[in-house]
Amino acid sequence: MSALIIISILAVVVLFAGLYKAQKALLPLTLLGLAAAFVANALDWNTDWYYYNEMMRYDNFAVAFAGLTIFSTFLIILLSKDYFERISQNVAEYYTLILFALAGVVIMVSFQNLSMLFMGIEIMSVSLYILAGIRKRDTFSNEAALKYFLMGAFATGFLLFGIALVYGATGSFNLEEIATAVNSGQNKPILYAGIAMMLVGLSFKVSAAPFHFWAPDVYEGAPTLITSFMSTVVKTAGFAAFLRLFMVCFASVSEFWAPILATMAVLTLIIGNITAVYQQSFKRILAYSSVSHAGYMLLAILALGNQSANAIFIYAVAYSIASITAFAVLIRVKQERGAEDVASFNGLAKTNPFMAFALTVAMCSLAGIPLTAGFFGKFYLFSTALSQYMWLILVAIIGSMVGIYYYFKVIIAMYMRENEQKVAIVLSGNYKLVLGVALLITLLVGIMPMFISQLL
């Protein structure tokens, strides 16, 4: 829990540093604070403490997912050197809003009370509404912010109404007390209505179909660095909260919500993968890819076994690291070549072999190719749900095969096509560090997954 305190204080300190024009201190201060939060979070391993009158529980589940989101944010912030300066002179606000969003994420993965779940989601969401539209003179950014805000407010209404109905059926906001009331079998009509509405709200946050329609436009219109944060940190937090809620509270009534969730998983896999095939913009490919990966992670929630948390964590690690790599390369290509379509990656392997190789490994990981972290992520997810949802695993495997096609489009562009611009794209030290660390983690987890396979 000390990590949450450090992140919250850090956000205020960074804001005041910007107020006093200490622009050069913003990036190192933010990175130092995130490193301290990561260490403080790791020290809470095996503690399983309750905080704030049992409204938050910091167990190994919360520590693992909070650590992943903090580490992902650290890598994303490393990429921000000179990025926000291109957009605005008020750089401190960017870092502050990202840190406040991260604070909301930490609350989401450690809630023990539905009111804290709502609070964490709102702290995170309000920060992201602003970040999505922070390029005030960019029409696409304004459109992204408006769509995200309107759809987000609509989904929040469903979530809040669902929480109210669950409270009405169980008489409590505490997860353990809700689980006890659910197991007693009382007030099922009200309870089922509440669960259905919460499903809608949470499905929006993780961009699961048919509540995914905001994601491609918002991901495309928002600044790419913010898109990477939304695609990785926010999605990880959403699934951690999703799993914690349904695993603790609603496992005994899975006969009601499992068919609904299975249908959503099929829709998410089909829509995400098929639509990505027809995209020419690499950013939109990653957006629809993010939708399809939500479908894969829904499998672990459907299974709700002892390995569900571990399966989602492994998959979230693989997906987050690969996505950060992809967005990092996209940022540099867009800055140097002025475009973000697949054709803009033509010939990249000749002008910058390291960047092309890092992106190739990331695409292979997202596609689930062996010897990458993504392969073992999908392996654990499929193994978790294999005994109960064989037909759904077959759909997921077909979706993975389709995914190979659109992921390899950019690999083919980098290695097999020529580009008239022969100028090499120069990477800063920060970019080399992020790509190097991401490449190492992707290959290490892919070759030796035992490091994290039994973490939870």
Side-chain angles (χ1 to χ4, degrees), residues 113-322:
N113 187 293
L114 292 182
S115 60
M116 294 305 291
L117 169 64
F118 176 73
M119 187 179 298
I121 287 176
E122 286 308 292
I123 292 172
M124 178 193 73
S125 298
V126 170
S127 301
L128 290 174
Y129 297 154
I130 302 170
L131 287 169
I134 206 160
R135 293 185 301 192
K136 294 183 289 186
R137 294 179 177 84
D138 189 323
T139 305
F140 291 107
S141 185
N142 294 336
E143 180 188 356
L146 183 61
K147 285 183 178 179
Y148 195 27
F149 171 71
L150 292 177
M151 295 298 102
F154 187 69
T156 298
F158 272 92
L159 179 65
L160 196 55
F161 199 5
I163 290 174
L165 289 174
V166 170
Y167 175 78
T170 62
S172 178
F173 289 125
N174 183 275
L175 298 191
E176 293 175 357
E177 294 177 4
I178 291 173
T180 301
V182 169
N183 292 336
S184 69
Q186 298 178 357
N187 298 318
K188 280 194 174 181
I190 298 176
L191 175 67
Y192 287 171
I195 293 174
M197 288 193 172
M198 293 188 74
L199 263 177
V200 173
L202 291 172
S203 297
F204 173 88
K205 296 302 177 184
V206 299
S207 62
F211 309 105
H212 70 289
F213 43 82
W214 61 273
D217 290 340
V218 173
Y219 280 23
E220 185 176 35
T224 305
L225 203 65
I226 304 305
T227 303
S228 68
F229 183 85
M230 294 166 62
S231 179
T232 56
V233 176
V234 173
K235 189 174 288 290
T236 298
F239 271 103
F242 209 140
L243 179 61
R244 192 180 192 105
L245 176 64
F246 278 74
M247 186 167 57
V248 174
C249 296
F250 305 136
S252 62
V253 290
S254 60
E255 71 279 357
F256 165 70
W257 55 263
I260 301 174
L261 207 60
T263 304
M264 290 173 57
V266 171
L267 285 174
T268 305
L269 289 167
I270 293 174
I271 293 173
N273 284 302
I274 297 299
T275 314
V277 169
Y278 296 97
Q279 304 303 313
Q280 296 302 317
S281 166
F282 185 53
K283 201 172 182 181
R284 289 187 75 88
I285 288 177
L286 292 177
Y288 282 107
S289 163
S290 176
V291 173
S292 70
H293 285 287
Y296 297 121
M297 285 191 272
L298 286 177
L299 296 176
I301 297 177
L302 276 167
L304 273 193
N306 294 330
Q307 294 300 315
S308 292
N310 211 53
I312 282 189
F313 180 74
I314 295 170
Y315 198 88
V317 170
Y319 169 74
S320 297
I321 297 301

Side-chain angles (χ1 to χ4, degrees), residues 328-340:
V329 175
L330 175 62
I331 289 171
R332 290 298 296 129
V333 169
K334 175 70 180 295
Q335 289 174 346
E336 295 295 329
R337 297 184 176 178
E340 55 189 30

